[in-house]
Amino acid sequence: MSVESLFPRLEPLLPKVQKPIQYVGGELNSTVKDWDDATVRWALMYPDAYEVGLPNQGVQILYEILNELPGTLAERTYAVWPDMEALMRAAGVPQFTVDGHRPVRAFDVFGISFSTELGYTNLLTALDLAGIPLVAAARTDDDPLVLAGGHAAFNPEPIADFLDAAVLGDGEQIAIAISEVIREWKSEGSPGGRDEVLLRLAATGGVYVPKFYDVEYLPDGRIKRVVPNRAGVPTRVFKHTVMDLDEWPYPKKPLVPLAETVHERFSVEIFRGCTRGCRFCQAGMITRPVRERSITTIGDMVAAGLKESGFNEVGLLSLSSADHSEIGDIAKGLADRYEGGNVSLSLPSTRVDAFNIDLANEFSRNGRRSGLTFAPEGGSERMRKVINKMVTEEDLIRTVRTAYGQGWRQVKLYFMCGLPTEEDVDVLGIADLAKKVIKAGREETGSRDVRCTVSIGGFVPKPHTPFQWAAQCDHETVDRRLRQLRDALRSDKEFGRAIGFRYHDGKPSIVEGLLSRGDRRVGAVIRAVWEDGGRFDGWSEHFSYDRWMKAAADSGLDVDWYTTRERDEHEVLPWDHLDAGLDREWLWQDWQAAIGDEDEIEDCRWTPCYDCGVCPTMGTEIQIGPTGRKLLPLTVV
Amino acid sequence: MVQRLRVRYAKRGRLRFTSHRDITRAVERAVRRADIPVAYSAGFSPHPKISYAGAAPTGVASEAEYLEIGVSRACDPLSLRAELDTSLPSGLDVLDVVEARSGSLADRLEGSMWEVRLPGVEPDAAAKAVEQFLSSERVEVERLTKKGIRRFDARGAVGSLTVGNDMGGAVGAPVMIDDLRTAGQELGPPCVILRMVVRHEIPAVRPDDVLMGLRLVAGFAPPSPPEVTRLAQGPLDAMTGEPTDPFEPDRA
Ligand code: SF4
């Protein structure tokens, strides 16, 4: 069965939409493999606009790995904007891939990578435009397997009805394994239809098939238990962890878009995982343990990636890039290598210490010392202890003093509002800190030309973290605290004008909270919101809190019960059968330590293992340097 | 900067939907991938010395776009042409490179030859509209610009305007054989093709302004979006009124 390109039907629509280039594909390093030569075909989606989705590392890595696999092809698709959606519906053009412009429904697997829950409504748009039934139970053997991955897939329950399967953790190896299972099943003549292939996938223990699990509820609405409903399906599904990142040096050939996107650079992950143990951080908890890529592999990837892409900026990615055991040598090596050229380097790091400034100094050798970012996260010493972010006020002031002293003129500070046990004074503490920062900067530089920007995000309790049991702060309280803080900053004659303040209102966090810790009953709300026109919920101009609240009320669902209610130790959480390796008891103790008054948890990279459970459960171990090797200069041609 | 190289490139097929900004980014990256020793401007944020002359609008294909690259080490135009072409995504294709000898390239681009394909249009209706347009002294059209609605004459800049179709039949005008379609693309339903030479004036008159003019004078309204291609731009020949090769003075 050959599949025709939809492009001739799409083409007449393109002059009528905003930024048509996002729909035409043809990016440098993109691949269009022959349809008939492949047995296993993946359509990969990042469920947001092209400009956000294209740079996504996860999708680019899987795209490259799957296309390298013989007999397998992968193409990409993104969320289309409402102007294009309307035209596609009118013209009967289905959801298409940007590579071969093939209809998504013709593929074997439709894989969607969710970094955030706010992409759920866009999933429904894509399914509907593709002509794939929204509900998994209604799909036939002619529909692809709809498979979710990404961080949000660690609790896929709110979208369980719309998914055939979900995978947790690193995608490289499991994507290949899934392709194998499908290839074998197809080579046998697809016996037993989609149920059979799903069963084979589920039996591996590494693929979650929601419909093979029944959720039973208690009379009060809590979950009683989640149990497999057929033989051969494991009771727990485990996450995947790639060990030895040096063996997986992707992306090798980064996609270079014609359209403008949010990140115009070549990014290299320098390690995965983080064991600093910040209690609010889902990413840190679910990606344990730390696995570093070696300095030499990083150096090679940067050289090759720049050559393949023509980008002039390199980003060294990870959850806390300054923590790489050889980051100093990496920074110096790269800065030396590209000295005097037009390549700029960036290192997202928010560590509050002098070392971070040294790194930033290396990376700004070629350019201006504009802004440095630090993330104390909590406004008071007490708050920072609750979240296990071990930064003292003294540390912070000393660090910013050094930064200003070395020529940096602007300091950005990140905080969260709505943290467990937070009170007004904790948030007002942010104003005091910011003033002290400016004061230190003025003293250090002898000038009034120093600035500080305070950015605040709303805290949302996430699954698989010690705060998964916590009550989320209601949005009225968050908004009130932020107003108080704003007033405290603005009214200050001495420092107010040197301090910038950026924040969002608390309402989107409530919807994010509902979707993060929701169960299967939340699916009806997502569907109702989508039917009511909900799209692109991550974009403030498209997001509607009222639409979500109305849909929840209409479905008879109590949003507070899901968000602002504290859970007790023994409540069955919707994601308890999905295993990130973290020992539940350890998480609970850590939660108790947070709200009690106990000592901080240190980082297991430098102190003994504190038995979070991940390594023994997953059969993994910490992989860190130093290797002692250095970056070799590139030979000049 | 030791040398300036002038590049003619095409914007083809689906890549006609690139905007001018998209193209500048793609060219800068291609220059880096190809290791072309582009010269940089001095100053705090150095820019590569690449300049563009009269870019075709987003959605319009072109066989004749021009840019100029300043390099810090002398380059062979032929090898630069090959390197730049392989480094650009296919659809942005380098056609010709010459070393600049004198004068300003932009000044030589006096006019453009455009081809406008109009699928599903009655040839007679098109011919009638063109006749009426050409016999008018002025045709005032409006265009929405960033500064609001502008009114200007779309007739004066039009040197010639003819009608043909791609089935080989002339409709009161020379036949336009479409030799520029991508190979392998199947012929769609019959389609009227307008070909026009438009002088570069201020305000610039674009093919869609001429189409708007046709609608105003004759109620001519094609059912689907026009497919526009710039075939050539350059100095206008005194005899034929058509654009000639702007690289001529550089080739000597
Ligand atoms: S099991 Fe121990 S070593 Fe492994 S991540 Fe957890 S605390 Fe660290």
Side-chain angles (χ1 to χ4, degrees):
Chain A
M1 174 195 65
S2 208
V3 168
E4 302 255 313
S5 167
L6 293 166
F7 197 73
R9 287 166 61 200
L10 183 67
E11 206 169 10
L13 313 183
L14 293 174
K16 303 178 192 167
V17 299
Q18 291 288 313
K19 300 187 197 158
I21 187 67
Q22 66 185 307
Y23 304 113
V24 309
E27 301 89 347
L28 209 63
N29 297 327
S30 61
T31 311
V32 184
K33 285 175 92 172
D34 189 82
W35 184 263
D36 296 309
D37 285 351
T39 356
V40 184
R41 306 176 184 107
W42 292 68
L44 300 172
M45 179 179 200
Y46 189 83
D48 203 333
Y50 180 88
E51 63 195 80
V52 178
L54 181 113
N56 181 264
Q57 285 280 302
V59 171
Q60 286 205 22
I61 290 171
L62 292 183
Y63 176 75
E64 201 171 339
I65 287 178
L66 290 167
N67 276 322
E68 279 181 6
L69 211 62
T72 303
L73 69 75
E75 301 196 358
R76 295 158 298 125
T77 183
Y78 303 94
V80 299
W81 285 111
D83 63 341
M84 180 54 117
E85 185 191 338
L87 290 170
M88 284 165 67
R89 288 187 188 281
V93 174
Q95 181 82 22
F96 54 87
T97 57
V98 296
D99 297 292
H101 290 95
R102 285 151 177 161
V104 166
R105 188 162 184 254
F107 288 76
D108 298 299
V109 187
F110 179 23
I112 307 101
S113 175
F114 290 102
S115 308
T116 134
E117 297 81 4
L118 297 174
Y120 290 164
T121 47
N122 285 354
L123 164 69
L124 297 189
T125 310
L127 287 173
D128 189 55
L129 280 175
I132 301 168
L134 295 187
V135 175
R139 290 179 197 144
T140 69
D141 290 352
D142 293 334
D143 294 302
L145 301 178
V146 178
L147 173 74
H151 286 181
F154 278 80
N155 175 26
E157 291 303 271
I159 49 169
D161 290 347
F162 315 125
L163 297 179
D164 293 296
V167 286
L168 281 60
D170 298 332
E172 289 92 337
Q173 288 160 312
I174 184 65
I176 295 174
I178 290 173
S179 303
E180 274 314 313
V181 170
I182 295 175
R183 184 191 336 280
E184 206 176 298
W185 169 74
K186 284 181 88 169
S187 73
E188 292 166 22
S190 312
R194 64 195 289 119
D195 265 15
E196 164 87 18
V197 70
L198 286 170
L199 199 57
R200 291 187 190 187
L201 289 170
T204 66
V207 178
Y208 175 52
V209 179
K211 74 168 172 184
F212 292 161
Y213 296 79
D214 289 334
V215 182
E216 296 167 18
Y217 298 96
L218 295 166
D220 65 5
R222 288 178 303 156
I223 293 171
K224 184 169 167 223
R225 53 183 199 152
V226 179
V227 277
N229 56 24
R230 66 187 73 194
V233 176
T235 45
R236 302 179 73 70
V237 180
F238 292 92
K239 77 160 177 182
H240 300 270
T241 312
V242 167
M243 298 304 292
D244 200 350
L245 293 191
D246 283 356
E247 285 188 12
W248 299 90
Y250 296 90
K252 293 177 187 163
K253 295 183 169 219
L255 291 168
V256 186
L258 286 150
E260 193 163 5
T261 59
V262 293
H263 296 304
E264 301 275 318
R265 60 172 169 244
F266 175 55
S267 299
V268 180
E269 271 180 294
I270 61 172
F271 64 87
R272 286 190 189 165
C274 176
T275 36
R276 291 203 157 240
C278 302
R279 296 184 172 118
F280 54 85
C281 179
Q282 186 191 40
M285 291 289 164
I286 62 180
T287 59
R288 291 167 171 233
V290 171
R291 292 145 288 147
E292 286 186 355
R293 193 165 260 153
S294 70
I295 177 170
T296 38
T297 304
I298 293 168
D300 294 348
M301 284 180 72
V302 168
L306 288 178
K307 179 77 195 135
E308 288 292 340
S309 66
F311 283 130
N312 62 345
E313 189 183 335
V314 177
L316 301 182
L317 295 187
S318 76
L319 291 171
S320 176
S321 291
D323 285 350
H324 190 288
S325 63
E326 286 174 296
I327 190 64
D329 287 335
I330 294 171
K332 184 167 181 314
L334 292 176
D336 285 350
R337 187 196 276 178
Y338 298 109
E339 173 118 51
N342 291 289
V343 172
S344 66
L345 303 163
S346 71
L347 178 90
S349 167
T350 55
R351 251 170 68 169
V352 185
D353 57 27
F355 179 61
N356 198 8
I357 302 172
D358 291 345
L359 287 174
N361 290 346
E362 279 298 357
F363 278 15
S364 62
R365 256 195 239 170
N366 287 341
R368 185 197 322 244
R369 297 196 169 165
S370 46
L372 259 185
T373 302
F374 302 102
E377 311 280 4
S380 67
E381 210 88 41
R382 188 191 70 82
M383 206 68 260
R384 292 193 288 275
K385 213 166 161 207
V386 168
I387 60 179
N388 203 44
K389 187 96 192 186
M390 294 168 285
V391 177
T392 63
E393 183 176 311
E394 218 189 319
D395 293 336
L396 179 68
I397 299 303
R398 196 181 331 110
T399 307
V400 297
R401 202 180 273 282
T402 315
Y404 287 126
Q406 298 191 0
W408 297 87
R409 282 294 163 265
Q410 156 111 309
V411 161
K412 288 187 203 151
L413 300 176
Y414 273 109
F415 295 94
M416 278 187 293
C417 181
L419 289 161
T421 76
E422 177 184 280
E423 294 185 29
D424 293 8
V425 355
D426 296 307
V427 177
L428 281 169
I430 296 171
D432 294 333
L433 266 186
K435 289 180 210 167
K436 286 178 186 159
V437 162
I438 293 293
K439 188 158 169 286
R442 287 179 184 168
E443 281 168 16
E444 190 66 29
T445 61
S447 145
R448 292 181 67 83
D449 179 30
V450 291
R451 283 192 57 80
C452 163
T453 304
V454 169
S455 286
I456 312 233
F459 166 67
V460 177
K462 295 277 179 169
H464 306 282
T465 68
F467 289 162
Q468 64 180 352
W469 290 279
Q472 185 172 351
C473 189
D474 60 86
H475 70 87
E476 290 89 350
T477 305
V478 168
D479 289 344
R480 182 171 47 76
R481 287 183 184 148
L482 291 178
R483 268 197 311 275
Q484 286 176 358
L485 173 58
R486 186 195 57 199
D487 294 346
L489 288 171
R490 290 231 177 113
S491 63
D492 194 279
K493 294 252 161 19
E494 170 87 35
F495 301 107
R497 307 185 65 149
I499 302 171
F501 184 45
R502 300 170 52 152
Y503 65 101
H504 293 291
D505 72 275
K507 284 174 171 174
S509 297
I510 290 294
V511 171
E512 206 188 322
L514 170 70
L515 298 174
S516 293
R517 290 194 295 170
D519 54 32
R520 291 189 182 182
R521 293 167 292 192
V522 174
V525 181
I526 298 169
R527 184 167 181 164
V529 164
W530 175 77
E531 280 168 353
D532 189 31
R535 305 284 187 276
F536 289 93
D537 285 299
W539 296 70
S540 52
E541 61 269 45
H542 290 275
F543 174 80
S544 161
Y545 178 75
D546 294 341
R547 180 185 270 148
W548 279 94
M549 291 308 115
K550 182 180 175 302
D554 291 350
S555 317
L557 185 135
D558 179 0
V559 175
D560 292 346
W561 190 83
Y562 283 92
T563 54
T564 57
R565 177 179 65 96
E566 185 170 332
R567 280 71 157 165
D568 71 29
E569 183 179 1
H570 300 293
E571 175 166 345
V572 176
L573 302 172
W575 53 90
D576 273 348
H577 56 300
L578 301 176
D579 205 325
L582 294 153
D583 180 28
R584 199 179 196 269
E585 228 157 87
W586 177 79
L587 283 175
W588 176 261
Q589 276 164 16
D590 203 42
W591 166 228
Q592 295 305 304
I595 49 183
D597 188 23
E598 292 174 39
D599 285 346
E600 308 89 5
I601 300 252
E602 306 253 0
D603 192 315
C604 59
R605 270 171 292 188
W606 308 300
T607 58
C609 166
Y610 46 80
D611 287 323
C612 78
V614 170
C615 293
T617 309
M618 306 307 310
T620 54
E621 60 184 12
I622 299 177
Q623 290 180 332
I624 54 172
T627 61
R629 281 172 287 180
K630 296 275 180 284
L631 281 184
L632 297 174
L634 293 179
T635 34
V636 183
V637 215
Chain B
M1 190 170 72
V2 302
Q3 189 190 29
R4 281 179 303 148
L5 291 147
R6 292 175 172 168
V7 178
R8 174 182 174 186
Y9 66 99
K11 180 169 112 167
R12 290 174 171 152
R14 21 171 148 147
L15 263 63
R16 73 177 186 274
F17 293 105
T18 43
S19 69
H20 180 55
R21 278 164 57 97
D22 298 336
I23 289 175
T24 58
R25 271 196 314 273
V27 169
E28 282 175 27
R29 285 174 188 155
V31 160
R32 283 193 294 266
R33 290 182 82 217
D35 268 330
I36 293 168
V38 61
Y40 278 81
S41 64
F44 219 53
S45 54
H47 281 288
K49 294 205 165 172
I50 305 175
S51 57
Y52 298 81
T58 307
V60 170
S62 176
E63 290 296 314
E65 298 296 286
Y66 292 90
L67 61 83
E68 198 168 279
I69 305 180
V71 288
S72 55
R73 180 158 39 84
C75 295
D76 169 40
L78 266 182
S79 45
L80 186 132
R81 171 183 161 178
E83 285 156 13
L84 192 58
D85 188 49
T86 29
S87 298
L88 279 166
S90 96
L92 290 181
D93 302 325
V94 178
L95 304 178
D96 199 1
V97 178
V98 295
E99 183 178 351
R101 294 208 183 257
S102 64
S104 138
L105 177 61
D107 287 350
R108 292 182 203 156
L109 304 180
E110 295 169 5
S112 290
M113 161 90 79
W114 302 92
E115 182 193 77
V116 180
R117 305 176 61 85
L118 300 167
V121 161
E122 278 299 317
D124 291 347
K128 234 174 33 244
V130 165
E131 207 183 296
Q132 263 174 279
F133 181 86
L134 289 176
S135 61
S136 311
E137 189 97 333
R138 283 177 66 79
V139 180
E140 288 261 315
V141 298
E142 289 181 345
R143 193 202 301 159
L144 194 62
T145 70
K146 284 196 187 85
K147 289 176 200 136
I149 292 181
R150 286 188 73 153
R151 286 185 66 85
F152 55 94
D153 173 39
R155 171 65 187 91
V158 176
S160 67
L161 175 60
T162 56
V163 189
N165 67 38
D166 65 356
M167 301 305 285
V171 187
V175 181
M176 302 299 145
I177 301 299
D178 179 22
D179 52 2
L180 294 162
R181 297 187 86 167
T182 334
Q185 195 177 318
E186 276 175 39
L187 284 186
C191 158
V192 158
I193 297 177
L194 304 181
R195 199 176 265 211
M196 60 183 92
V197 173
V198 183
R199 282 183 293 276
H200 297 170
E201 294 179 349
I202 297 173
V205 174
R206 304 194 306 210
D208 50 323
D209 300 319
V210 175
L211 287 175
M212 153 104 64
L214 293 177
R215 188 164 79 210
L216 291 177
V217 295
F220 177 71
S224 51
E227 292 163 29
V228 184
T229 306
R230 167 148 53 200
L231 300 179
Q233 58 175 328
L236 295 178
D237 186 274
M239 298 289 291
T240 64
E242 297 200 347
T244 58
D245 180 11
F247 286 167
E248 204 50 53
D250 299 310
R251 287 192 212 275

